[in-house]
Amino acid sequence: MSDVSRPTAAEARTAVVIPAAGRGVRLGPGAPKALRALNGTPMLIHAIRAMAASRAVSLVVVVAPPDGAGEVKSLLDAHALPERTDFVVVPGGDSRQESVRLGLDALPPDFDIVLVHDAARPLVPVDTVDAVIEAVREGAPAVVPALPLADTVKEVEPAQVSGEPEPVVATPVRARLRAVQTPQGFDRTTLIRAHETVTENVTDDASMVEQLGLTVVVVPGHEEAFKVTRPLDLVLAEAVLARRRLNDGF
């Protein structure tokens, strides 16, 4: 028998993969969404700092646009980041799924927990990051932070022509629905197997694990972990940062 044993839950090292290769069409023309300024600092830097704020995170892999790895490396060098965390930039692919896989390929072997985080969620509180990591440490193969829905949701038959009325098909029970956020956390082996097995393009890594027949669990998300997708989201994010500066004194 080998004398080498798998790290205990408390010893398991955590890395974060941040796919940041998207263009962010809904925010309009200009820089890629992740590089848009929020309070004078690119959203990507805010997102990296949010992940590195967790003392459990020792490596952040940023997956840059295929032709923009140099620019992203320069961006990281130009901003103050926690010294206890290592940062790596790798070029991404044509889809989010491919970019995450390339980020996974860049991880050293001694990381057992992997978080995947949207660069467009720049304001995730550290307590949410820690809650996801802790749930993976306790044995969950996949963990997502999520919030209950405030609105009633309708399932509809999509219109053939944009803007046409759409007939309602069903009204799901709202108490059973959650709006999923990131970072999503995974046992590394499970996430790698999901990326090797599920080949169709998906928007959510946890759904890939679901397709393996494994259980994905939910931990409480946070209202400030919203995704910056439209111009109004930038206004809201600026307001959150202004309130934090007022409360924290910086």
Side-chain angles (χ1 to χ4, degrees):
M1 291 180 60
S2 171
D3 292 332
V4 179
S5 59
R6 182 179 176 83
T8 65
E11 295 171 335
R13 302 186 73 199
T14 300
V16 180
V17 174
I18 302 181
R23 297 298 307 180
V25 174
R26 281 175 289 182
L27 274 178
K33 179 165 55 178
L35 304 185
R36 299 293 179 93
L38 180 58
N39 191 35
T41 300
M43 273 199 293
L44 176 59
I45 298 299
H46 286 286
I48 291 171
R49 287 173 175 167
M51 297 300 101
S54 171
R55 293 189 173 275
V57 172
S58 51
L59 172 66
V60 175
V61 176
V62 180
V63 187
D67 58 351
E71 180 183 2
V72 172
K73 287 178 183 177
S74 297
L75 195 69
L76 268 60
D77 291 340
H79 290 82
L81 298 171
E83 293 184 359
R84 68 172 183 271
T85 307
D86 292 327
F87 301 94
V88 175
V89 178
V90 298
D94 294 331
S95 68
R96 183 185 187 280
Q97 185 177 3
E98 184 180 358
S99 291
V100 172
R101 182 182 57 77
L102 290 169
L104 287 172
D105 290 345
L107 294 181
D110 57 338
F111 286 90
D112 297 285
I113 297 173
V114 181
L115 306 188
V116 180
H117 182 56
D118 294 333
R121 296 184 190 270
L123 303 177
V124 180
V126 67
D127 288 350
T128 302
V129 182
D130 288 339
V132 171
I133 295 170
E134 186 60 29
V136 180
R137 281 180 171 168
E138 290 177 355
V143 181
V144 296
L147 293 175
L149 297 183
D151 298 320
T152 297
V153 175
K154 301 289 185 183
E155 182 183 353
V156 302
E157 184 66 40
Q160 297 296 317
V161 179
S162 178
E164 289 291 315
E166 298 174 321
V168 172
V169 175
T171 303
V173 179
R174 188 172 65 184
R176 295 176 61 87
L177 301 177
R178 298 291 183 270
V180 172
Q181 303 174 326
T182 70
Q184 298 184 354
F186 304 90
D187 167 75
R188 176 184 180 159
T189 302
T190 298
L191 184 58
I192 290 174
R193 182 157 69 93
H195 275 267
E196 290 173 346
T197 306
V198 181
T199 56
E200 64 185 59
N201 192 30
V202 291
T203 59
D204 173 53
D205 293 276
S207 67
M208 299 171 68
V209 175
E210 290 175 48
Q211 291 184 51
L212 296 180
L214 300 176
T215 299
V216 177
V217 301
V218 167
V219 297
H222 196 281
E223 61 183 6
E224 293 180 1
F226 62 90
K227 191 172 186 178
V228 177
T229 303
R230 299 174 176 85
L232 184 60
D233 298 327
L234 281 172
V235 176
L236 179 57
E238 292 278 7
V240 170
L241 284 174
R243 190 189 68 193
R244 288 182 180 181
R245 288 196 302 272
L246 185 63
N247 292 342
D248 298 339
F250 66 87

